[in-house]
Amino acid sequence: MPRQSTRRPQTHPVDEVLPLPRLALYGFQHVLAFYAAAVIVPVLLGNALGLSRQELVHLINADLLTCGVASIVQALGVWKIGARLPLVQGVTFTAVSPMIAIGMGAGGGTAGLLVVYGAVITAGIATFLFAPLFSRLVKYFPPVVIGTILTIIGITLIPVALQDAAGGAHLIGTPAYGDPKNLAYALGTLLFILTIVRIGKPFLSSLAVLLGLVAGTAASWLFGDTDFAAVRETDWFGVTTPFHYGMPRFELLPIVAMLVVVLITMVETTGDVYAIGEITRRKVDADTVARALRADGAATVLGGVLNSFPYVAFAENIGLVRMSKVMSRYVVVAAGVFMVVLGLLPKAGSLVASIPHPVLGGAALSMFGIVAAVGIQILGKADLREERNTLILAVSLGAALLPTTVGPFFDRMPDDLRAVLDSGITLGALTAIMLNLLFNVFTRRRTMEIDWDDIGEDGPAAPHFGVPAH
């Protein structure tokens, strides 16, 4: 009788549970890569609505706490919620302009926040309920659409990194903005990361971003350009309470505006899920997308309750997964635990927030560029020799650059419409979706879909991009 093999099935890199020290290191690297983008939304909104410093700190703490819980649910999976992929959840930039418009229209301050939270909670419930139906519409998002949207996300985020490299948006209009010293910190951080990746061993290379941020901050401190005084003045412990500013107000027009926003973020999350599937070589189907979108919806409802905002799978950290080649979803779970701790310990969060803008910009430039590169790789699956697909890409890229290159373009439009369209990601994504419907769906043309048939559940021996699997 032939001897039966006792060899266990190979664990997919996504499901690999790393040793605790490595989980902590890789998880903290995700937090550092994500932190600046995570806190910028409450900072922008709070400043626009005229909130006090104490109220602004509360918004940041609430955001970090909700980010942590949402990331754990997305990566770990609870019932039919969560994609079980290394996806970090964060506040979507798409919602910034609409939320500012909604809040200012309601009088600003905490009164404006109550109307924002009513719209956020409603939009989160709609996302959760609509997730299964939207996942079946994935066939209307072929590679030309998903690749275009991801490319747009990367291209529109790169200026954010460059702005940080110049010193940060708060310095615009001052002599310090674009100071050669700031550019030196950014370039030094980027070169340090590239050097680690080039000459370091695989384990060291996977920590390149973390080491770059630490080295850049240390250099800035040694030259006297980083001050930790704000850390000493921050409280050690702070608890986020539900409905801290009062019960939400539900008004029709703000809800409609927020529903448009979450429609775009659902497309964004769909693209992010496929992108992380490409990077990790884990098969993505309609059920995976539905579970990811349910996690978005649940996190958005939780955000409205805990005084935070709409959540989406964060494209920034997809670049980190690609760069580090660490594909375990449990790393994101560890990152989520760190975020929860940071949300409860304002002093610890303040320490991370002390990383200088130019250092963050240097590190972010590589990651945001990788997001665009993943989009370009997915575009490689579309037949761009076909004129219609080429036009979808070309016109969508042009539309995405419109708000950032011609700022006053939408100034004379109604506030509600301007709040939705005055975003490169929103405008570019809407353009790609509508042109695909016009050119490929309504004309019943067959569009190429991403072929996942050659990808088994356990994944191939080596990932698609020709680098050794972790």
Side-chain angles (χ1 to χ4, degrees):
M1 183 174 180
R3 185 177 179 181
Q4 293 183 346
S5 175
T6 59
R7 185 178 179 182
R8 295 181 180 180
Q10 184 180 3
T11 302
H12 194 285
V14 168
D15 298 317
E16 183 181 3
V17 181
L18 304 179
L20 186 59
R22 293 170 66 188
L23 277 178
L25 277 174
Y26 293 140
F28 191 61
Q29 181 175 237
H30 269 288
V31 173
L32 288 179
F34 147 98
Y35 187 88
V39 300
I40 193 64
V41 173
V43 169
L44 290 174
L45 181 62
N47 289 336
L49 298 185
L51 300 183
S52 67
R53 183 181 183 278
Q54 184 178 2
E55 291 167 338
L56 185 57
V57 169
H58 188 88
L59 282 186
I60 295 173
N61 289 346
D63 179 24
L64 289 171
L65 177 65
T66 313
C67 283
V69 174
S71 297
I72 292 172
V73 171
Q74 183 72 276
L76 197 59
V78 178
W79 183 58
K80 295 182 178 181
I81 306 173
R84 295 176 174 85
L85 290 169
L87 289 169
V88 172
Q89 296 291 103
V91 178
T92 174
F93 286 96
T94 308
V96 173
S97 296
M99 289 192 299
I100 291 175
I102 291 170
M104 294 302 293
T110 56
L113 279 179
L114 297 181
V115 179
V116 170
Y117 291 143
V120 167
I121 291 173
T122 305
I125 294 173
T127 301
F128 188 93
L129 297 177
F130 190 58
L133 175 60
F134 190 89
S135 67
R136 291 195 289 271
L137 300 177
V138 170
K139 61 183 178 180
Y140 297 121
F141 300 96
V144 67
V145 174
I146 294 177
T148 297
I149 293 174
L150 280 173
T151 304
I152 285 171
I153 291 171
I155 290 175
T156 53
L157 287 176
I158 286 174
V160 177
L162 295 176
Q163 196 172 70
D164 275 336
H170 64 289
L171 295 181
I172 293 178
T174 68
Y177 188 71
D179 188 293
K181 181 168 57 177
N182 293 333
L183 301 178
Y185 285 134
L187 182 60
T189 301
L190 179 60
L191 289 177
F192 187 90
I193 292 172
L194 295 177
T195 302
I196 294 294
V197 172
R198 175 64 182 85
I199 67 176
K201 294 182 179 180
F203 175 74
L204 195 62
S205 296
S206 65
L207 294 173
V209 174
L210 173 60
L211 296 175
L213 290 171
V214 171
T217 303
S220 176
W221 178 74
L222 288 174
F223 284 103
D225 294 320
T226 296
D227 184 11
F228 295 101
V231 178
R232 295 190 294 269
E233 298 171 359
T234 306
D235 293 334
W236 274 103
F237 186 75
V239 179
T240 299
T241 54
F243 305 123
H244 176 77
Y245 302 103
M247 294 303 295
R249 290 166 48 196
F250 299 88
E251 298 183 4
L252 180 60
L253 288 179
I255 287 174
V256 172
M258 197 58 62
L259 288 175
V260 174
V261 169
V262 296
L263 176 63
I264 302 303
T265 61
M266 291 172 81
V267 177
E268 184 180 342
T269 290
T270 300
D272 290 341
V273 171
Y274 275 109
I276 202 68
E278 279 277 287
I279 291 171
T280 63
R281 301 299 285 172
R282 168 59 68 89
K283 184 173 182 178
V284 171
D285 54 20
D287 182 61
T288 308
V289 174
R291 287 187 277 109
L293 294 175
R294 286 195 191 97
D296 277 2
T300 299
V301 173
L302 183 64
V305 172
L306 293 180
N307 321 293
S308 192
F309 313 105
Y311 284 83
V312 67
F314 234 42
E316 286 86 336
N317 291 75
I318 293 176
L320 181 56
V321 173
R322 169 72 187 279
M323 178 180 289
S324 68
K325 306 182 188 70
V326 179
M327 304 176 188
S328 172
R329 58 193 173 103
Y330 295 102
V331 169
V332 173
V333 174
V337 173
F338 277 119
M339 292 178 215
V340 170
V341 172
L342 289 173
L344 297 174
L345 299 175
K347 190 177 286 291
S350 179
L351 178 63
V352 178
S354 298
I355 298 174
H357 283 274
V359 174
L360 284 171
L365 181 61
S366 60
M367 292 185 293
F368 293 167
I370 286 177
V371 174
V374 172
I376 292 171
Q377 285 179 321
I378 293 179
L379 282 171
K381 295 179 177 293
D383 184 7
L384 294 181
R385 294 172 297 179
E386 166 60 50
E387 184 179 7
R388 299 188 182 196
N389 287 338
T390 304
L391 282 173
I392 292 173
L393 172 61
V395 177
S396 300
L397 286 175
L401 293 175
L402 183 59
T404 55
T405 56
V406 188
F409 191 87
F410 298 107
D411 284 354
R412 294 181 177 86
M413 293 188 176
D415 289 343
D416 291 340
L417 184 61
R418 185 177 64 189
V420 175
L421 297 180
D422 199 13
S423 163
I425 295 174
T426 303
L427 193 57
L430 279 175
T431 303
I433 294 168
M434 298 303 295
L435 288 179
N436 180 65
L437 291 175
L438 176 64
F439 286 158
N440 295 324
V441 177
F442 295 155
T443 56
R444 299 179 181 271
R445 289 171 57 89
R446 185 180 182 274
T447 57
M448 177 182 175
E449 298 182 9
I450 295 178
D451 183 11
W452 297 97
D453 293 339
D454 61 335
I455 304 175
E457 280 299 314
D458 293 330
H464 180 63
F465 300 120
V467 293
H470 175 76

